[in-house]
Amino acid sequence: MKYQKFKEQLNNGGFDKVIKELYGSSEQIISHQKKRYLEAAEKFNEYFPGHDEIQIYSAPGRTEIGGNHTDHQHGCVLAAAVNLDIIAVVAFHNEGVIRLKSVGYSQNYVDLSDLSVHNKEKGSSSALIRGIASRFHEMGVRISGFDVYTTSDVLSGSGLSSSAAFEILIGTIIDSHFNQGKAGAVEIAKIGQYAENVYFGKKSGLMDQMVSSVGGLVSIDFHDTENPEIKSFPYDFEASGYCLCVTDTKGSHANLTDDYVAVRSEMESIAAQFGKAFLRDVNENEFYSAIPELRKKCSDRAVMRAAHFFSENKRAVLETNALSDGNMDYFLELLRQSGESSANLLQNLYSCSQPAQQEIPLGIMLSRKILGKNGAVRVHGGGFAGTIQAFVPAEKVNDYSQEMNRIFGDGSCYILRIRPAGGIEITKG
């Protein structure tokens, strides 16, 4: 699309329909997003002048709703794409490089003639770009190059998976323009995970990428990770009288790698006692019968974390069924049970290495004080530091967000809505 044509259509309401679908229908939201997209296009012109044709892409953040630490054990999850996203302004060329500028970061430069793993760039955006490009190259896709400017309201460290949104954004750009969309949402998610695991150097599960790529409210069964069972379905929490809120408690993620690794390794140490790689393949009844022997070979915490998996894996399915049946009360009860299991069995509300830093338990305590018997609150995502999730009655949402912002700082509480679409091209006709 011509740069000037995009600006004219944006200002004249040509993109209002897709904006309403992705972000909401209020005039304030539409005005804000128009300004955001316009500023992104103008910034692209500043950093990458001389391009007449541009295309616009978007990929959402995600919120985990059910299945805390179940995906890496090939379990079930319930999650949703949200109305916070990364947007990209892109111009394609034949220079054999990808240049990317993100707000607040130095420019990334990836030479497409060298798609090998670069150890020195692990942990960087360049590693993710190179890894995604490499996977498409292996699939026989020829990438000639492009320049891209991105801006994001999925803040890094917010617990809404900005890294997965970035991976899906890059994968969507490449698949849409160079591969005629043949890979599709599920394969793009797998490509993103591959780049994160192999090139970026982080052993993540597949949930974050899958939800960002597929979009909507999504139930996923990872028993067969090559062919996960995905069920996307609509549910309007606001119509049920509740708002979905995620609060960043501002705890530091520094030095928590060992805590995250321990959850997975301890669960898998239990699975290994049954000759299995993952807990999903272990019989729950056999697990409980074997606890006396398991305690001799594994830690008590490993046993309890395995117990969390078995109950949480079933809860994720029950939560999906509750929402499918429109039973919000039962869903909230299951969410409360999930929160208790994460606290008492999984034990991921704070780090044992930093016992005085308890931002997540503090946030949960204050949330329960405000909510009383209404709504529900739980740790969100990986835990140990970061975010909490609450379903708040609509009549209390202003009080709740004000209190969370008072305690943890302005802008800490996100009032979210489910986004029906995953990674998409905005300018596609």
Side-chain angles (χ1 to χ4, degrees):
M1 176 175 284
K2 299 292 185 183
Y3 173 72
Q4 287 300 329
K5 183 178 179 182
F6 169 73
K7 289 175 62 176
E8 290 170 7
Q9 286 196 13
L10 183 69
N11 289 325
N12 294 330
F15 294 99
D16 283 8
K17 182 179 179 182
V18 68
I19 288 174
K20 290 177 182 178
E21 179 183 2
L22 298 183
Y23 307 104
S25 57
S26 76
E27 288 301 320
Q28 182 179 5
I29 288 173
I30 294 171
S31 176
H32 169 72
Q33 292 299 335
K34 283 183 176 181
K35 181 181 178 183
R36 180 177 175 231
Y37 276 85
L38 183 61
E39 288 178 351
E42 291 173 345
K43 283 291 184 182
F44 174 87
N45 251 359
E46 289 181 22
Y47 286 103
F48 305 108
H51 292 292
D52 188 35
E53 292 277 345
I54 61 169
Q55 290 170 238
I56 315 294
Y57 295 83
S58 162
R62 70 94 185 101
T63 180
E64 171 206 285
I65 296 174
N68 194 217
H69 279 281
T70 55
D71 64 325
H72 53 69
Q73 296 303 301
H74 293 196
C76 299
V77 301
L78 175 64
V82 297
N83 57 320
L84 301 180
D85 68 344
I86 306 177
I87 62 173
V89 183
V90 185
F92 298 93
H93 52 66
N94 298 310
E95 298 174 34
V97 299
I98 296 173
R99 292 180 286 258
L100 181 143
K101 170 63 181 175
S102 297
V103 177
Y105 297 91
S106 58
Q107 182 174 302
N108 299 104
Y109 181 95
V110 173
D111 187 339
L112 294 169
S113 67
D114 178 9
L115 295 178
S116 62
V117 175
H118 289 205
N119 288 325
K120 65 181 180 181
E121 69 180 15
K122 284 195 171 184
S124 70
S125 295
S126 291
L128 293 175
I129 298 168
R130 196 182 303 275
I132 293 166
S134 171
R135 201 59 154 181
F136 274 104
H137 178 75
E138 291 173 3
M139 293 162 57
V141 178
R142 182 182 178 278
I143 307 168
S144 61
F146 54 91
D147 294 336
V148 53
Y149 175 85
T150 74
T151 181
S152 175
D153 53 16
V154 190
L155 300 179
S156 179
S158 66
L160 298 169
S161 202
S162 59
S163 60
F166 181 82
E167 292 156 21
I168 299 309
L169 185 74
I170 301 301
T172 300
I173 292 169
I174 294 173
D175 188 47
S176 175
H177 187 78
F178 297 104
N179 196 38
Q180 296 78 52
K182 293 176 183 177
V186 173
E187 191 61 32
I188 289 172
K190 293 178 183 178
I191 291 169
Q193 183 199 27
Y194 167 81
E196 188 164 313
N197 289 175
V198 178
Y199 281 72
F200 188 83
K202 179 181 178 182
K203 294 298 181 182
S204 68
L206 185 56
M207 178 187 70
D208 294 349
Q209 292 88 349
M210 193 67 74
V211 178
S212 179
S213 192
V214 172
L217 187 61
V218 184
S219 170
I220 310 174
D221 185 337
F222 287 113
H223 195 207
D224 179 357
T225 55
E226 289 302 310
N227 299 286
E229 295 179 20
I230 304 167
K231 176 186 177 184
S232 184
F233 61 99
Y235 190 84
D236 191 340
F237 288 108
E238 294 177 11
S240 297
Y242 290 86
C243 293
L244 168 58
C245 298
V246 169
T247 299
D248 182 1
T249 65
K250 304 296 175 66
S252 172
H253 288 84
N255 303 317
L256 293 179
T257 300
D258 290 346
D259 293 288
Y260 295 125
V261 170
V263 171
R264 181 168 184 165
S265 63
E266 288 179 12
M267 286 185 177
E268 291 173 1
S269 73
I270 298 292
Q273 299 305 311
F274 297 88
K276 306 295 183 182
F278 304 100
L279 284 175
R280 179 63 181 274
D281 296 321
V282 175
N283 181 279
E284 183 179 0
N285 292 331
E286 292 179 8
F287 159 74
Y288 278 103
S289 295
I291 285 179
E293 292 302 314
L294 292 173
R295 293 187 64 209
K296 296 175 184 178
K297 299 175 181 178
C298 305
S299 68
D300 286 342
R301 188 174 70 176
V303 171
M304 289 193 290
R305 283 176 165 170
H308 165 82
F309 169 81
F310 288 116
S311 62
E312 184 75 353
N313 194 50
K314 289 185 287 187
R315 256 191 306 272
V317 176
L318 293 173
E319 288 168 347
T320 298
N321 294 340
L323 292 180
S324 296
D325 295 339
N327 192 339
M328 188 67 179
D329 288 341
Y330 185 41
F331 167 77
L332 291 172
E333 174 55 33
L334 291 167
L335 205 76
R336 296 184 196 106
Q337 293 175 18
S338 173
E340 292 295 334
S341 182
S342 291
N344 299 324
L345 299 179
L346 185 60
Q347 302 177 47
N348 68 332
L349 269 59
Y350 62 93
S351 173
C352 292
S353 65
Q354 303 172 53
Q357 294 179 222
Q358 298 200 18
E359 296 90 350
I360 287 177
L362 175 63
I364 290 174
M365 179 271 289
L366 292 169
S367 296
R368 287 175 175 162
K369 182 176 183 294
I370 296 169
L371 297 176
K373 296 181 179 180
N374 299 314
V377 61
R378 66 191 277 274
V379 64
H380 179 248
F384 300 108
T387 55
I388 60 173
Q389 179 191 79
F391 285 85
V392 182
E395 65 272 13
K396 291 187 175 182
V397 72
N398 288 333
D399 291 341
Y400 180 81
S401 62
Q402 287 176 10
E403 182 66 359
M404 291 297 103
N405 289 331
R406 183 180 75 87
I407 299 298
F408 297 109
D410 290 342
S412 297
C413 184
Y414 302 86
I415 303 172
L416 304 175
R417 62 188 298 272
I418 308 300
R419 163 172 159 152
I424 62 169
E425 181 188 344
I426 301 294
T427 45
K428 196 168 185 177

